[in-house]
Amino acid sequence: MKKLMAANWKMYKLAGEAGDTAAGLRAKLDGRLPADREVLVIPPFTALGTTRQALAGAAGFSLGAQNFYPSRQGAFTGEIAPDMLLDAGCRYALTGHSERRHILGEDDALVGKKTAFGLAAGLAVILCVGEKVEERKAGQVEAVLTRQLAAGLADVPADVSPDALAVAYEPVWAIGTGLTAGPREVEEAHALMRAWLVARFGAQTGAAVRILYGGSVKPGNAGELLGIDNVDGVLVGGASLEAESFSAIVTA
C-alpha cells in the first residue's frame, strides 16, 4: 500500500502560482520520491489546467479536486460535475471536508450522496470525517466518526475497489490552528475507523482502504504521524502551499 500524500490548496493560488508551485514540487521530488509514496495535488478549480500541465508525465503524481456536485450535468449554477473533473485530468476528489460541512452547511446525507456518485462516475474519492472540539470534550469521538462514516459510505457498494476509496480523519479543532492530535489520539481514531471499514467492507477491502490524517501536518511532525498504525498518508493544508515544506512532508 502506497502512502497517499495529499496537498489541499483550498482557496489559494492563481493559475500561474499553482503551476509554479506544482513545477517546483516536481523538481524537488525528482529522483527523491520514495517508492512507497503517491503525491496528490488538489488545487482550486481555476488552477487545474496549469497544475495538470506542470505535473504532466510525472510518475507518482496525481491531480485532484476539492469538491463536485452529484449530477452529470444540469442547471446547478456554480457547481461542477465529476465528468468535468475527469475531463480536466483529475483522478481524485474530496467529499465531506470539514470546511464544507461546518462553513458551507453540507450535511451527512449530501456527503454520502456525493461520495457514492463520485465513485460511480469514475473518480477516486477521499471521504473526510472528524469531530469538533466540543464533541471530543464530551466523549463523542466514536459516535461522530461512526455516524459520518456510516452516512458517507451508505450507498458505496461492498465490492468497491480500495484503490478508489480513501478516508481522511481530520479533527476539526486541529485544522489550521497549529494544534495536532497527539499520537495516541490519532492511533485510537484510526483504529476505530479501520475496524469500522473491515466490518463494512470485509477483511480484505477494509484493510486496504487508505486512512489519511489531516490537521496541522508539518515537516516537523509528519514522520511521527506516518509511523502510527493505520496512518496511510496525510491530507495537508497550509504546509502544502510551498514546494519546500510539502516536499519535506512527502519524504518524511
Side-chain angles (χ1 to χ4, degrees):
M1 179 191 296
K2 289 190 175 184
K3 291 189 181 295
L4 182 58
M5 316 298 286
N8 177 17
W9 289 348
K10 306 188 181 186
M11 201 173 73
Y12 294 98
K13 297 188 183 294
L14 301 180
E17 296 170 329
D20 290 345
T21 303
L25 180 63
R26 178 177 181 172
K28 286 187 174 297
L29 292 174
D30 184 30
R32 298 182 59 235
L33 180 62
D36 67 341
R37 306 287 165 95
E38 176 186 353
V39 178
L40 170 60
V41 181
I42 312 173
F45 295 137
T46 54
L48 284 172
T50 53
T51 305
R52 179 185 188 180
Q53 291 170 4
L55 298 179
F61 286 78
S62 297
L63 184 67
Q66 298 174 21
N67 184 41
F68 60 88
Y69 190 77
S71 181
R72 292 194 64 189
Q73 56 185 7
F76 304 108
T77 300
E79 296 294 335
I80 194 163
D83 285 350
M84 296 173 180
L85 298 178
L86 291 164
D87 185 54
C90 292
R91 179 184 172 197
Y92 287 90
L94 301 176
T95 61
H97 192 282
S98 64
E99 291 157 4
R100 297 208 61 84
R101 291 180 188 266
H102 303 302
I103 297 175
L104 298 167
E106 294 192 5
D107 61 17
D108 289 341
L110 177 57
V111 172
K113 184 176 181 181
K114 289 167 69 170
T115 302
F117 192 92
L119 287 167
L123 286 169
V125 175
I126 302 172
L127 168 66
C128 302
V129 299
E131 80 283 357
K132 295 183 287 187
V133 66
E134 58 267 29
E135 293 169 330
R136 173 164 282 277
K137 289 180 178 179
Q140 298 173 344
V141 175
E142 181 174 357
V144 170
L145 295 184
T146 299
R147 186 196 79 234
Q148 291 179 342
L149 287 169
L153 299 172
D155 296 322
V156 175
D159 62 351
V160 64
S161 169
D163 292 333
L165 178 65
V167 293
Y169 171 57
E170 44 163 27
V172 180
W173 48 271
I175 298 173
T177 63
L179 301 173
T180 306
R184 183 175 178 180
E185 294 167 321
V186 175
E187 185 173 13
E188 289 176 348
H190 282 234
L192 184 160
M193 294 167 65
R194 179 68 70 202
W196 191 95
L197 290 167
V198 168
R200 170 68 169 80
F201 294 109
Q204 184 171 352
T205 298
V209 172
R210 289 182 287 191
I211 304 175
L212 315 184
Y213 173 76
S216 295
V217 179
K218 301 178 179 66
N221 62 23
E224 181 181 28
L225 289 166
L226 290 164
I228 297 172
D229 285 346
N230 293 307
V231 175
D232 307 312
V234 288
L235 179 60
V236 186
S240 75
L241 293 173
E242 299 295 334
E244 182 74 32
S245 58
F246 188 58
S247 63
I249 290 171
V250 170
T251 56

